[in-house]
């Protein structure tokens, strides 16, 4: 039996690999394509999208609601696959991302691009046909913003990349809301604002203890460009801005007191973790804050869902 | 059997065929799921249309 051997030439011994140097790979497994969809990021997107859908006033048939959440998940995953296609050169350099399917040579770049494009178009099309055009339009905007504005433009050109680019990740609850109501209201914009303000401290916490990685890859993250002290100051500012924004759904009547209390406690702990990062010269508190930021978003949308569920039962 | 490292991937023709078959099955299941989704959504929307026109 003959052996078929082929090498990924993705990672050169030194320097940044050229995007064209990634070989075609015939050995991709289904799980490699699943990895292209960034399942962990997708879980957060699904959860926040579902929260937006669940707390929105009105009624959507459960099957259509499930399809809407599926479209949000697939659309977000597809954008992630296109992101991996474009960033394959820097992904091969960074320790955090070099195990991804393209740098490992398991999925050919063209396959990843085709996979992401087909899923993007499919998710938007199904959303338009099954749910409504507003939700489909927002989903398309989120995908296009993530791919063209964040990935291709901002990520490599400005330390404010994840501030502006964070808008892409803030769309899901707004899409969920629009799936039910068919419009974009002030309440859904507040849900958008919640993730928008959460994104910078979340990513900068990661960038603080991975700054060497980003510097090697030439990605101008804030800790690399402006320094650790400035980054910690910005993180604290954003967590302070996030606090009232997170409580706002309670004041606006979107959520009840259960959510209001949870938002206040979770927001307070987020501010405290930012203060801990400010005071700590090591990377320990930044790692802890990154972990807490993920918990924060799950918990705050979980509280929103729970609050609404209790309201429906009551 | 396949042996893999970060930079190098070596596998037999049999292993490649096995992986291709898995991918083909995944594509087939995805297409089937899409057909089911379109069918079910169509039923739900048609029923909603009938209910609306009946004034219920």
């Amino acid at each position: 039996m003959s052996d078929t051997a082929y090498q990924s030439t993705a990672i050169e011994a030194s320097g940044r690999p050229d995007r064209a140097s990634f070989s075609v790979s015939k050995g991709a497994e289904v799980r490699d394509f699943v990895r292209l969809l960034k399942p962990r990021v997708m879980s957060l997107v699904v959860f926040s999208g579902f929260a937006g859908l669940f707390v929105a006033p009105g009624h959507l048939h459960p099957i259509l609601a499930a399809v809407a959440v599926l479209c949000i998940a697939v659309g977000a995953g597809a954008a992630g696959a296109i992101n991996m296609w474009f960033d394959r050169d820097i992904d091969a350099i960074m320790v955090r991302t070099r195990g991804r399917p393209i740098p490992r040579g398991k999925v050919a770049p063209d396959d990843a691009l085709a996979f992401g494009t087909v899923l993007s178009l499919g998710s938007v099309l199904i959303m338009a046909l099954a749910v409504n055009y507003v939700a489909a339009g927002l989903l398309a905007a989120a995908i296009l913003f993530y791919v063209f504005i964040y990935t291709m433009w901002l990520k490599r050109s400005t330390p404010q990349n994840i501030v502006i680019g964070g808008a892409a990740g803030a769309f899901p609850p707004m899409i969920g809301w629009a799936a039910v109501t068919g419009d974009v209201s002030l309440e859904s914009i507040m849900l958008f604002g919640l993730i928008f303000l959460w994104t910078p401290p979340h990513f900068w916490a990661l960038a603080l203890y991975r700054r060497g990685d980003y510097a090697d890859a030439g990605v101008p993250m804030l800790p690399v460009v402006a320094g650790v002290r400035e980054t910690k100051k910005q993180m604290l500012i954003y967590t302070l801005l996030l606090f009232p924004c997170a409580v706002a759904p309670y004041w606006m009547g979107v959520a009840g007191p259960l959510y209001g209390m949870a938002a206040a406690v979770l927001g307070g702990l987020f501010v405290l973790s930012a203060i801990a990062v400010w005071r700590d010269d090591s990377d320990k508190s930044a790692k802890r804050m990154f972990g807490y930021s993920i918990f924060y978003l799950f918990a705050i949308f979980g509280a929103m869902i729970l609050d609404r569920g209790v309201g429906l039962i009551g | 059997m396949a042996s893999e490292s970060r930079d190098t991937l070596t596998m037999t023709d049999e292993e490649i065929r096995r992986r291709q078959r898995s991918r083909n099955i995944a594509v087939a299941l995805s297409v089937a799921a899409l057909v089911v989704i379109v069918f079910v959504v169509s039923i739900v929307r048609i029923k909603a249309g009938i209910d609306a026109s009946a004034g219920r």
Side-chain angles (χ1 to χ4, degrees):
Chain A
M1 188 176 293
S2 66
D3 279 344
T4 303
Y6 44 96
Q7 277 196 315
S8 161
T9 54
I11 303 165
E12 302 291 328
S14 62
R16 177 183 298 210
D18 187 82
R19 283 209 184 91
S21 70
F22 292 82
S23 61
V24 173
S25 173
K26 293 187 286 184
E29 292 180 271
V30 174
R31 66 181 174 189
D32 295 318
F33 283 93
V34 173
R35 279 193 201 121
L36 283 177
L37 302 175
K38 300 187 178 179
R40 275 184 290 184
V41 176
M42 193 196 274
S43 65
L44 208 56
V45 166
V46 166
F47 198 64
S48 61
F50 174 75
L53 193 144
F54 195 68
V55 301
H59 174 74
L60 184 65
H61 192 286
I63 287 176
L64 300 184
V67 170
V69 172
L70 181 70
C71 288
I72 293 171
V74 172
I82 299 173
N83 168 274
M84 284 198 203
W85 162 77
F86 188 81
D87 278 346
R88 62 192 181 276
D89 55 341
I90 56 176
D91 279 354
I93 296 169
M94 294 174 68
V95 174
R96 189 174 68 88
T97 54
R98 64 172 54 150
R100 286 177 172 175
I102 300 177
R104 287 192 70 190
K106 300 200 90 181
V107 175
D110 288 350
D111 289 348
L113 177 62
F115 182 61
T117 306
V118 168
L119 289 185
S120 296
L121 293 172
S123 61
V124 173
L125 189 68
I126 295 291
M127 184 74 101
L129 294 173
V131 186
N132 62 54
Y133 293 136
V134 177
L138 289 172
L139 181 61
I143 294 168
L144 293 172
F145 195 94
Y146 185 71
V147 170
F148 291 104
I149 307 294
Y150 172 69
T151 302
M152 295 185 181
W153 178 27
L154 297 173
K155 186 173 178 179
R156 301 178 192 222
S157 61
T158 168
Q160 295 299 311
N161 47 16
I162 49 103
V163 176
I164 309 162
F171 271 102
M174 193 187 243
I175 299 168
W177 184 284
V180 177
T181 64
D183 63 18
V184 176
S185 63
L186 190 59
E187 292 93 332
S188 70
I189 292 171
M190 289 307 296
L191 298 179
F192 175 94
L194 201 161
I195 300 183
F196 184 73
L197 292 173
W198 165 88
T199 305
H202 165 73
F203 269 108
W204 285 334
L206 172 74
L208 274 177
Y209 66 87
R210 293 281 192 187
R211 58 187 179 277
D213 235 12
Y214 283 110
D216 290 345
V219 179
M221 292 299 280
L222 197 62
V224 177
V225 176
V228 169
R229 204 68 192 154
E230 178 62 24
T231 305
K232 291 179 175 181
K233 189 179 89 181
Q234 294 285 331
M235 285 165 71
L236 184 55
I237 291 170
Y238 274 96
T239 52
L240 289 169
L241 290 172
L242 176 62
F243 189 91
C245 185
V247 180
Y250 166 65
W251 296 117
M252 295 174 75
V254 175
L258 179 67
Y259 168 81
M261 281 191 291
V265 172
L266 289 165
L269 290 173
F270 206 16
V271 172
L272 287 176
S273 68
I275 292 170
V277 170
W278 171 264
R279 287 179 173 170
D280 186 13
D281 288 333
S282 72
D283 292 337
K284 210 171 166 182
S285 54
K287 284 180 185 169
R288 204 177 302 131
M289 185 174 177
F290 179 70
Y292 177 74
S293 67
I294 295 169
F295 168 77
Y296 171 90
L297 208 64
F298 271 111
I300 205 154
F301 280 108
M304 202 178 281
I305 291 166
L306 191 68
D307 185 274
R308 173 74 166 160
V310 169
L312 288 173
I313 293 165
Chain B
M1 294 297 287
S3 63
E4 298 171 16
S5 69
R6 181 163 59 81
D7 299 336
T8 308
L9 201 67
T10 307
M11 65 183 74
T12 61
D13 290 340
E14 185 189 1
E15 177 65 10
I16 290 172
R17 274 197 297 275
R18 189 190 67 76
R19 292 184 178 198
Q20 282 173 338
R21 184 176 158 77
S22 298
R23 292 204 301 270
N24 291 344
I25 291 169
V27 170
L29 289 174
S30 302
V31 172
L34 182 66
V35 170
V36 170
I37 287 171
V38 171
F39 178 75
V40 172
V41 165
S42 300
I43 297 296
V44 169
R45 292 196 70 114
I46 288 167
K47 187 176 181 305
I50 292 169
D51 288 350
S53 63
R56 271 183 276 174

